Amino acid sequence: MTLWQPRAGYRFSLDPLLLVDFVTPPYGRIVDFCAGCGVVGLGLSARDEHAQATLVEIQERLATLARRNAEDNGMSARVEVRRHDLRALRDVGAQFDVAVANPPYRTLDEGPASPDAEIATAQHELEVTLAEVVGAMRRALVPGGRAALVYPAARVAALLAALADAGLRPLRARFVHPRADEPANRVLVEAHKGARGPLVVEPPLVVRDANGYTAEAARLLGD
């Protein structure tokens, strides 16, 4: 895929690519909350030609870019972009097989937000909280549907608690380490609606080694 993103303002990182790789196909009907310029929803759609995706993004410029990315990559027939506040959605309920999110990571207590409003909204819980994102994911999923998120590893306890409070059962997790000898800085979690079973922690993903990107990280980046 070729993706447009702002030259200045919020720009995506490795995180959405990690999430695309973590969620296994087939996908069926996908909803991508906090979609930004559409990396996760479009990435999953590119992996499964039968998938249908709805991308939900509150910020107008990012939603416009997501729509352009869908068109430029030939996916506009099966990808819908909605510029909307996920908290106010009333017609998205119990119809999706997979819900994904790369949500704002920082609470308002975790330092000042960026002076750039677009970056601040994407990174801090100014417009939506983790609990609200997870709640929207549960409402959107059919019974047995999957919810998957990428989040700071330091806040994994908060993420697991939010999923449990929403009635989503975490069944898979994978920690991401910048280097093998460094603590994890991201965690990927998949939870199911109406499921039971233990949480399986998969082998960690290490991003860099002495030679640069590891082979797995290079694969995610398309190198």
Side-chain angles (χ1 to χ4, degrees):
M1 293 190 301
T2 300
L3 298 175
W4 295 92
Q5 66 174 333
R7 185 182 300 275
Y10 178 70
R11 296 171 62 82
F12 69 85
S13 65
L14 180 63
D15 295 351
L17 302 178
L18 294 170
L19 186 56
V20 169
D21 186 70
F22 179 69
V23 185
T24 56
Y27 306 119
R29 295 158 298 176
I30 304 163
V31 61
D32 179 4
F33 289 121
C34 309
C37 63
V39 181
V40 180
L42 292 171
L44 295 177
S45 298
R47 297 179 77 191
D48 181 354
E49 63 181 10
H50 301 294
Q52 301 279 334
T54 298
L55 281 53
V56 181
E57 170 56 47
I58 193 172
Q59 301 201 68
E60 184 171 1
R61 181 167 73 149
L62 296 179
T64 299
L65 286 172
R67 193 171 293 109
R68 180 178 182 181
N69 286 333
E71 293 171 354
D72 285 1
N73 287 281
M75 298 184 196
S76 55
R78 56 191 182 94
V79 174
E80 176 190 9
V81 179
R82 301 181 64 174
R83 191 252 171 180
H84 218 299
D85 184 338
L86 65 85
R87 297 170 299 182
L89 286 174
R90 295 292 179 264
D91 58 343
V92 174
Q95 60 180 293
F96 294 96
D97 304 294
V98 175
V100 290
N102 178 21
Y105 288 166
R106 300 173 185 168
T107 67
L108 298 180
D109 297 329
E110 295 182 72
S114 169
D116 184 298
E118 186 175 88
I119 296 174
T121 299
Q123 294 181 344
H124 276 75
E125 294 184 341
L126 296 173
E127 298 290 342
V128 67
T129 65
L130 174 62
E132 290 168 333
V133 173
V134 171
M137 296 174 88
R138 185 190 185 283
R139 290 191 298 274
L141 288 171
V142 299
R146 297 179 285 162
L149 303 93
V150 56
Y151 212 59
R155 296 195 65 201
V156 64
L159 175 57
L160 295 178
L163 290 167
D165 289 345
L168 294 170
R169 178 75 173 186
L171 295 182
R172 295 175 60 216
R174 190 178 194 191
F175 287 90
V176 181
H177 298 251
R179 297 182 183 275
D181 59 350
E182 295 179 0
N185 64 351
R186 292 289 183 267
V187 64
L188 300 152
V189 175
E190 181 182 295
H192 291 212
K193 181 178 180 178
R196 297 182 179 181
L199 172 63
V200 176
V201 179
E202 299 179 353
L205 189 158
V206 178
V207 176
R208 292 180 180 272
D209 58 23
N211 298 315
Y213 285 115
T214 62
E216 186 167 15
R219 176 180 59 80
L220 298 182
L221 294 168
D223 293 349

